[in-house]
Amino acid sequence: MSVLDGLNQKQREAASIIDGPVLILAGAGSGKTKTITTRLAYFIDEVGIPPTQTLTLTFTNKAAAEMRSRALSMITNPNIPPPLLCTFHQFGLMFLRLYMQELNRKNTFIVIDSNDRQQIIKDILQTFPLFKDKSPSVIESEISRFKNIFLTAEEFKVQDVAKNSDAEVVQHISGYYEKYLIENNLVDFDDLLLLPYRILSHNIDLCHKISEQYRYIMVDEYQDTNDVQNNLLEKICSVYQNLCVVGDDDQSIYSWRGADIQYILDFEVRYKDTKVVKLEQNYRSTHQILEVANRLIAHNERRLGKELNSLVGNGAKVEVLESLGDYEEIGRISDKIIQLIEKGTKKQDIAILFRLNALSRSIEEGLMRAGLPFKLIGTIRFYERQEIKDYIAYFRLIVNLHDNFSFSRIIDKPRRGIGKVSLQKAILRTLEMGCSLYDFSKTEEFLSLLGGNRATIIRQLFADLEELQNIMQHSIIDFIQEFDKKIPLKAYYKEQENGNERVENIQEFLGVIAQMVQMNPAITLEEILNKISLSNASDDILEDGDAILCMNIHASKGLEFKHVFVVGMEEGFFPLLHKGIDIEEERRLGYVACTRAKKSLTLSYVDVRFFYGKQEHRKPSRFLREMGLIAQDSTMPSFFCNDLGLKKGDIVQHKTFGKGCVQEVSKEEGREPKVKVNFGGLYRDILASFLIKIG
C-alpha cells in the first residue's frame, strides 16, 4: 500500500519524480494540493528522505496550514521531525532570526505591515515642507517596487521611477525610510525576502550551507512569484537543483504586485532537463463551465497550453444575463439566489464576483433590499482595526523600548497632553543625535526641550513600560493581566464610539495571545507579534457564518463555490481597457472567475450602468464572444475600436431625433465618445454608438 495509490496517473507521475527540476502545470480544480502533499509524504514516508532536507513554500498561511495538515496525516512515522512547510515570508523571518547579524543588525527586529510603512513615510514627509502634499501610498508603492527589483535608495536612478510618481521625492524619502528602519530595528514585508537574498549573495559559505540543508524544495502557486522570490530560490537550490514548482500560467493575475508570468513560462529554459507534468483532469466544475473557460483562455498567446477536462460531467448551461441597468441586474441575481436557497443551497456556497471594486456598491444595496445576508470581502480586517493596532504598538514598544515608531502611535492613547508639536521636536532631535526617545528621555536636554510636566509624563510612561517588560519576560499571561492596570487603554476605548464593540475586539485579541501561549508556553511576545504581522488577508475570508460572499476576482483566487455570479461583464469594466492594462492578464482573470464555479455559472452585463455619478451606455464584454456565449457582432463596441470616424460637420441619424449635424466630438480614454449634435437648432449630447453616420 502506497500513499501514491490515491492519485490519478498524471498526479502519480508528478509525485514520484525525486531528482531534478520539475514543473507541474496544475489546472484549476485538478488536485494540486493533494499532489503536492502526497509527494512530500511519499518522499519522507516511503523514499526515506529526512524531513529536515525538505522545504515547501507557498503564499498564504491558510494554504500552508492545510498542506501541513494533509501531509502530516499521511506520514506514519511518529518519531521524525515535521517538514518545514510555510510561506515565503515566514521562511524569510526564520532565516533572519538566525542570520541577521550578517548585516550587522540584531535579530530582535519587529516586522511592520503596509499601514505602518505608510505612516512612517507620512511622518518623514512632514519633516520636509516641500514634500508635505505628496502621497505616502504612492511613495510606499514605489519603494516596494524598487525593493522587489533589488534596488536600494542609493542604487536606483531617477528614470527608473514610475511616471505617475515624483522621482526625486521617492529617491529622497527612500533613503530616510531605510535609515529609520535600521535605527529602529524594523523590517518590512519586502525585507523578509530581500535581506535573506542579500545575505546569501554576500556569504557564499552560508549559501552553500543552506542549499545543503534544503535538498528538496517545492513551491506552490509558482505563477505568482516575483524577481526576489525567484532569485532567492536560485540561491537556496544552488547545490542541488531538486526544485519542484507547481502552478498554472493561466491563473497568473498578480502582475500589479510584482508577480512575473515569465518565470513559469521560461522555467524549462532556466532549469535544464526539467520534467513537465500537466494536470488537466478537473474534479471541481461541470463540462459546461470548463468548456467556456477553455474557449476563453485559448485566445491568449503567452501560455504553455493545456485544456481542462471535467470528471464531474454535464451540468447546467452557462447563463448570460442581460439587464437594462444595475438595479435590475442585482434584482434578478437576488431572485436567482433566493431560488437556490429555497432548494437547499447554503448561502456560503454562493458567490458574486466583480472585476471593479466600485461595482460592490450596487451589489451591496441590492442584496440588502432583498434581505439576503452577505459578506463583502475587503472590509477592515481584525488586526487592522484601530484599537488592535494600538495594542500591538504598545506591545511592540514593550518588546523594544527604543521603537520610536510605536511610541509615536501610542503616546496620546489614552490622552496624556503631549501635543504633536512637542513630540515632533523630540523626534527630530533624536534623529539628529542618532538615538531613541527612550534614551533621549533620560537626558537633561529632554527636560528643557519638552518642559517639566511633559517630560515627567513621558518618563513615567517609560518607567511603567519597563516594569511591564520585566513582567512580560517572566510570564506573558501575567503581563496581559497587569497591562490594563498600568495602561488604561481598554477604558479609553470603552468611552469611544462603538466602545463596547471595540472592547470586545480587544478581549478577542488578548484571548488569541493567551491561546498562543497555551499552545506553546515557550513562545515570546516578540514571536507572537511577528506571527500577527505575517497574517494574510485571505486567511479569514471564509471564517464567518452562512452568508453570500461578494468579492473582486483577485480575492476569489484559490476558492470555489457551487454557484457563481460574475457581474459587470462589459467592455471597459471587464476587461478594463485603460492605459497599461494587459489584455491577456484580464483574460486570465476571466478564466479564474469561471473556474471558481462548481455547479452553475452566470455571467451578467447591463445596457446602461450608473457609474461615478452618471449613467453610461455599455456594450457586452468581448470575453462573452470569445467564450462562444453571444453572437460575434454583439460584443466589440465600436466606440472602443474607433469613434465611427465622426468629426465636425458630419451628418448623422438618430432613431429618435432624426438627422443632425455634428458640432463636436469629445473623447475620454476608456469611455464612449460623446458627440454634440445640432438637430435642427436643438443641440444635444449623444453617445456615439447611438448615431449612424450618413454623410
Side-chain angles (χ1 to χ4, degrees):
M1 184 74 176
S2 169
V3 293
L4 300 179
D5 291 343
L7 304 180
N8 66 37
Q9 182 182 350
K10 283 294 182 180
Q11 290 172 336
R12 188 182 184 107
E13 178 186 345
S16 58
I17 300 172
I18 298 173
D19 297 317
V22 182
L23 170 59
I24 303 176
L25 278 178
S30 63
K32 167 180 68 77
T33 302
K34 182 178 182 180
T35 304
I36 299 173
T37 52
T38 302
R39 186 177 194 265
L40 182 59
Y42 172 71
F43 276 26
I44 294 170
D45 221 35
E46 298 188 24
V47 179
I49 291 171
T52 52
Q53 290 185 3
T54 70
L55 172 63
T56 305
L57 298 171
T58 187
F59 279 84
T60 69
N61 294 321
K62 188 171 185 177
E66 180 186 358
M67 291 168 64
R68 188 182 304 112
S69 175
R70 286 201 197 184
L72 292 178
S73 70
M74 288 185 277
I75 297 173
T76 58
N77 187 347
N79 300 318
I80 58 174
L84 181 54
L85 201 162
C86 60
T87 67
F88 272 96
H89 290 91
Q90 285 170 331
F91 176 79
L93 175 62
M94 288 185 285
F95 180 91
L96 291 178
R97 286 286 177 231
L98 295 172
Y99 302 110
M100 191 62 147
Q101 69 273 12
E102 295 289 325
L103 298 174
N104 296 316
R105 293 179 61 178
K106 296 179 181 179
N107 68 352
T108 55
F109 58 83
I110 292 291
V111 181
I112 62 172
D113 60 22
S114 60
N115 289 335
D116 296 330
R117 181 155 66 179
Q118 282 194 35
Q119 185 60 53
I120 292 170
I121 292 169
K122 182 179 179 181
D123 291 342
I124 294 173
L125 287 171
Q126 293 303 307
T127 64
F128 297 96
L130 293 176
F131 299 161
K132 285 184 178 181
D133 61 337
K134 303 300 179 183
S135 168
S137 62
V138 170
I139 294 174
E140 185 234 356
S141 177
E142 284 296 274
I143 290 174
S144 177
R145 187 170 72 87
F146 281 115
K147 284 191 174 188
N148 281 289
I149 55 175
F150 306 104
L151 295 182
T152 65
E154 296 78 23
E155 293 167 340
F156 75 75
K157 299 178 180 179
V158 169
Q159 59 263 34
D160 291 322
V161 181
K163 293 179 181 179
N164 63 345
S165 63
D166 191 315
E168 293 183 1
V169 175
V170 174
Q171 191 174 31
H172 192 74
I173 297 303
S174 178
Y176 281 93
Y177 170 74
E178 292 301 323
K179 183 173 182 287
Y180 186 94
L181 293 190
I182 293 170
E183 288 177 349
N184 291 278
N185 205 18
L186 303 176
V187 169
D188 65 26
F189 254 45
D190 296 322
D191 289 334
L192 290 177
L193 301 180
L194 179 60
L195 298 183
Y197 170 77
R198 285 189 175 152
I199 291 171
L200 293 176
S201 295
H202 291 100
N203 189 327
I204 305 302
D205 291 338
L206 179 59
C207 183
H208 190 276
K209 174 186 173 182
I210 296 298
S211 189
E212 281 283 355
Q213 179 178 349
Y214 300 114
R215 301 187 182 190
Y216 301 92
I217 302 168
M218 280 194 288
V219 181
D220 186 25
E221 303 288 3
Y222 184 67
Q223 76 281 348
D224 295 334
T225 55
N226 61 20
D227 290 349
V228 174
Q229 288 159 339
N230 274 280
N231 282 275
L232 181 59
L233 281 172
E234 287 184 359
K235 293 296 180 185
I236 299 172
C237 66
S238 58
V239 177
Y240 303 93
Q241 293 217 329
N242 300 324
L243 175 61
C244 173
V245 299
V246 187
D248 183 0
D249 53 315
D250 292 334
Q251 296 188 73
S252 178
I253 59 173
Y254 295 114
S255 65
W256 51 275
R257 69 182 188 194
D260 188 346
I261 190 176
Q262 210 59 43
Y263 282 111
I264 192 169
L265 296 179
D266 293 343
F267 187 81
E268 293 177 80
V269 176
R270 291 172 39 250
Y271 293 91
K272 303 300 182 185
D273 301 319
T274 293
K275 299 179 180 68
V276 180
V277 183
K278 296 183 181 182
L279 304 184
E280 298 174 297
Q281 290 186 323
N282 178 281
Y283 295 86
R284 175 188 299 162
S285 308
T286 65
H287 168 75
Q288 285 78 3
I289 292 170
L290 295 184
E291 187 176 32
V292 299
N294 285 331
R295 283 180 192 157
L296 174 64
I297 203 63
H299 285 81
N300 273 3
E301 295 180 359
R302 294 174 64 215
R303 61 189 296 255
L304 295 171
K306 65 182 178 309
E307 185 163 315
L308 294 179
N309 302 300
S310 175
L311 293 180
V312 176
N314 287 318
K317 181 181 178 181
V318 174
E319 183 177 2
V320 176
L321 197 64
E322 179 185 5
S323 303
L324 179 62
D326 47 9
Y327 188 95
E328 178 186 324
E329 174 186 49
I330 192 59
R332 294 174 68 185
I333 290 174
S334 297
D335 290 342
K336 289 180 177 293
I337 290 174
I338 290 171
Q339 291 173 17
L340 289 171
I341 293 170
E342 288 175 347
K343 292 178 180 178
T345 301
K346 292 181 179 179
K347 301 178 189 70
Q348 65 191 29
D349 289 331
I350 303 170
I352 301 177
L353 309 181
F354 43 86
R355 172 67 179 94
L356 203 60
N357 285 332
L359 298 184
S360 65
R361 177 200 57 80
S362 63
I363 295 169
E364 187 174 356
E365 291 176 356
L367 294 177
M368 290 174 67
R369 283 195 301 270
L372 290 168
F374 66 92
K375 181 182 180 185
L376 186 63
I377 305 303
T379 53
I380 298 176
R381 296 182 58 232
F382 181 77
Y383 291 118
E384 293 173 359
R385 297 179 186 275
Q386 183 179 348
E387 61 272 18
I388 305 303
K389 294 279 286 184
D390 287 343
Y391 262 82
I392 289 173
Y394 264 109
F395 288 4
R396 281 178 175 170
L397 186 57
I398 289 164
V399 168
N400 176 17
L401 293 170
H402 301 280
D403 183 354
N404 284 1
F405 174 66
S406 295
F407 181 88
S408 299
R409 182 179 179 97
I410 60 88
I411 181 56
D412 220 28
K413 293 179 182 177
R415 301 194 186 286
R416 297 185 174 90
I418 308 297
K420 289 184 178 180
V421 175
S422 299
L423 182 62
Q424 197 65 36
K425 285 181 183 177
I427 290 175
L428 285 174
R429 185 62 184 128
T430 62
L431 290 174
E432 293 170 357
M433 297 171 63
C435 68
S436 67
L437 272 166
Y438 174 64
D439 288 335
F440 184 41
S441 69
K442 299 176 182 179
T443 67
E444 288 299 318
E445 183 183 350
F446 180 78
L447 183 66
S448 61
L449 182 67
L450 267 74
N453 187 44
R454 294 189 186 93
T456 301
I457 290 171
I458 291 176
R459 285 173 173 174
Q460 182 57 53
L461 173 60
F462 274 124
D464 290 339
L465 296 177
E466 286 175 339
E467 187 174 341
L468 287 169
Q469 187 182 67
N470 289 330
I471 297 170
M472 176 266 294
Q473 289 169 349
H474 290 90
S475 168
I476 294 178
I477 299 299
D478 291 346
F479 157 75
I480 291 174
Q481 295 173 347
E482 193 65 27
F483 180 85
D484 284 330
K485 298 176 184 177
K486 290 285 185 185
I487 311 292
L489 188 59
K490 190 187 297 181
Y492 166 77
Y493 271 113
K494 174 76 173 176
E495 301 303 317
Q496 305 301 309
E497 186 178 1
N498 300 319
N500 290 333
E501 181 182 343
R502 290 176 184 267
V503 169
E504 287 174 2
N505 290 336
I506 292 168
Q507 293 290 82
E508 175 70 16
F509 170 69
L510 297 177
V512 167
I513 293 180
Q515 187 178 33
M516 287 185 182
V517 174
Q518 288 172 358
M519 293 176 65
N520 179 11
I523 198 169
T524 65
L525 184 60
E526 181 182 8
E527 290 170 335
I528 290 172
L529 294 175
N530 285 329
K531 278 179 176 287
I532 290 171
S533 293
L534 289 174
S535 67
N536 300 101
S538 59
D539 292 341
D540 45 307
I541 282 182
L542 297 178
E543 296 302 319
D544 288 355
D546 195 19
I548 299 152
L549 290 170
C550 307
M551 67 192 81
N552 66 39
I553 298 168
H554 284 100
S556 75
K557 175 76 166 57
L559 305 177
E560 60 181 37
F561 308 92
K562 288 183 179 177
H563 307 279
V564 170
F565 297 85
V566 184
V567 302
M569 293 293 297
E570 300 131 32
E571 285 290 299
F573 280 14
F574 195 17
L576 296 180
L577 294 172
H578 56 72
K579 188 176 181 180
I581 285 293
D582 179 355
I583 192 63
E584 292 209 349
E585 182 154 331
E586 290 293 297
R587 197 172 280 115
R588 292 193 291 269
L589 267 172
Y591 178 81
V592 167
C594 292
T595 54
R596 300 311 93 200
K598 298 168 72 175
K599 295 181 68 175
S600 77
L601 174 65
T602 303
L603 307 173
S604 175
Y605 72 93
V606 300
D607 297 325
V608 178
R609 189 173 293 280
F610 190 80
F611 186 63
Y612 286 152
K614 60 181 180 180
Q615 287 190 330
E616 291 187 343
H617 179 75
R618 312 303 308 176
K619 289 292 182 69
S621 169
R622 70 186 68 185
F623 293 164
L624 295 174
R625 181 200 66 191
E626 293 174 356
M627 294 175 188
L629 295 174
I630 61 176
Q632 291 285 335
D633 60 357
S634 62
T635 57
M636 287 305 293
S638 59
F639 59 84
F640 281 111
C641 301
N642 55 65
D643 55 10
L644 304 179
L646 293 177
K647 61 184 183 299
K648 185 175 181 180
D650 284 345
I651 306 301
V652 293
Q653 178 79 34
H654 187 272
K655 64 180 181 179
T656 302
F657 304 118
K659 294 180 181 179
C661 181
V662 173
Q663 304 298 301
E664 182 183 351
V665 179
S666 302
K667 300 178 184 178
E668 186 176 344
E669 187 174 1
R671 295 177 183 255
E672 179 173 5
K674 185 170 60 177
V675 185
K676 178 172 285 188
V677 183
N678 178 1
F679 293 102
L682 183 64
Y683 289 84
R684 292 186 180 274
D685 289 331
I686 303 291
L687 297 176
S689 60
F690 286 83
L691 300 171
I692 299 173
K693 183 178 178 181
I694 59 175

